[in-house]
Amino acid sequence: MDKNSKIKALFFDIDGTLVSFQTHRIPQSTVEALEKAKQNGVKIYISTGRPIILITNLGQIEHLIDGYITTNGARCFVENHTVCQCPILRSDVEKVIEAADCDDYSVIVVGEKHLAIHHLTPVVEKIFVEGLGVDSLDFQTNIDDLKDEDILQLTPFCSVEQESELMPSLENCTSGRWHPAFTDITAAQADKGKGLQAMADYLGLNIDETMAFGDGGNDISIIKKAGIGVAMGNAGDNLKEVADYITTSVDEDGVKNALVRFGVI
């Protein structure tokens, strides 16, 4: 690491940032770059919209990961310690389910330990299994099975227009869309940026010592919050506009190039 680099912790989105949408794997250049960063004493954290049960594609770097921001900041943890957890109000959960029933779309309901898929439609399997490479969706879990768990995230497969109608009706929620077919809804106190702050506070880090990478709309908060916010070359324009630096795409050594550019490796 460059002696002038002050970065002590890296935070990475998964889909489209670490993992290629094309191959569903982490490019070898990224794996090697993270290994070098780790050797240089830099900590590595995940920052994802996925709940831990759906993080199935990080086997190549699992041994390098120091902690997780999951469900867009609704649950953050380091080893077995929960840094923060922000459940959605039950009344808001009910409103989202009612809207899904009314407009005939699916909702993935994420609890602390389990998930349910309300009103399963073919688009869920097509996007999550075929498009995102998720192979662990439990299509059998009923939403009633989660009644004793905090609900951390709701993922309705609704349009942007349906989302704009739904959100004002919810008492305490925020929405982060990173895919045209669905959005992730969490409690208003939860987003990746707030998750980063909670993790930094717990780890004793100054925000200036953090660097975050992302490509989707749900990465805006963490890219704005981090000491250095990096947008992937394949990111949307709304994210690129708030980033400190735009690197190349996930498939064009984007992570490695940014880490070299800022002297982390």
Side-chain angles (χ1 to χ4, degrees), residues 147-161:
K147 62 183 179 181
D148 296 325
E149 296 185 29
D150 281 346
I151 302 304
L152 303 180
Q153 183 166 275
L154 300 163
T155 301
F157 283 70
C158 62
S159 66
V160 173
E161 291 74 23

Side-chain angles (χ1 to χ4, degrees), residues 41-181:
V42 179
K43 299 292 187 179
I44 296 170
Y45 300 92
I46 298 303
S47 171
T48 181
R50 295 190 186 215
I52 191 65
I53 194 173
L54 295 185
I55 300 178
T56 60
N57 52 357
L58 297 181
Q60 295 163 269
I61 62 165
E62 197 167 4
H63 61 293
L64 303 174
I65 299 171
D66 294 291
Y68 294 80
I69 295 172
T70 67
T71 48
N72 290 303
R75 181 169 184 254
C76 306
F77 61 93
V78 175
E79 296 181 342
N80 294 323
H81 178 78
T82 299
V83 175
C84 64
Q85 184 160 300
C86 303
I88 300 172
L89 294 173
R90 282 286 171 173
S91 56
D92 283 341
V93 174
E94 292 170 2
K95 289 176 184 176
V96 174
I97 296 302
E98 289 172 2
D101 288 339
C102 180
D103 287 350
D104 197 33
Y105 55 75
S106 301
V107 182
I108 297 178
V109 183
V110 179
E112 297 171 71
K113 299 178 181 178
H114 305 93
L115 62 81
I117 303 176
H118 180 73
H119 188 52
L120 178 62
T121 55
V123 69
V124 177
E125 183 168 11
K126 180 175 179 61
I127 291 173
F128 268 69
V129 179
E130 297 177 21
L132 298 176
V134 175
D135 56 8
S136 62
L137 279 179
D138 182 357
F139 295 105
Q140 305 304 316
T141 304
N142 188 289
I143 188 172
D144 292 335
D145 296 338
L146 304 184
K147 62 183 179 181
D148 296 325
E149 296 185 29
D150 281 346
I151 302 304
L152 303 180
Q153 183 166 275
L154 300 163
T155 301
F157 283 70
C158 62
S159 66
V160 173
E161 291 74 23
Q162 289 169 323
E163 176 190 351
S164 65
E165 293 178 5
L166 171 63
M167 292 308 297
S169 73
L170 305 182
E171 183 179 343
N172 187 53
C173 285
T174 187
S175 179
R177 181 176 289 267
W178 57 275
H179 192 286

Side-chain angles (χ1 to χ4, degrees), residues 165-220:
E165 293 178 5
L166 171 63
M167 292 308 297
S169 73
L170 305 182
E171 183 179 343
N172 187 53
C173 285
T174 187
S175 179
R177 181 176 289 267
W178 57 275
H179 192 286
F182 61 81
T183 190
D184 288 333
I185 295 174
T186 56
Q189 295 83 0
D191 61 36
K192 290 187 181 185
K194 294 183 178 71
L196 173 63
Q197 184 67 65
M199 293 285 275
D201 291 344
Y202 172 74
L203 297 167
L205 291 170
N206 187 302
I207 286 294
D208 290 342
E209 298 171 326
T210 67
M211 185 176 185
F213 291 71
D215 73 300
N218 63 339
D219 294 311
I220 290 174

Side-chain angles (χ1 to χ4, degrees), residues 18 21 25 30 32 82 111 115 184 186 194 205 216 246 261:
L18 284 177
F21 283 122
R25 289 183 58 80
T30 299
E32 293 173 358
T82 299
L115 62 81
D184 288 333
T186 56
K194 294 183 178 71
L205 291 170
I246 302 171
R261 164 67 177 76

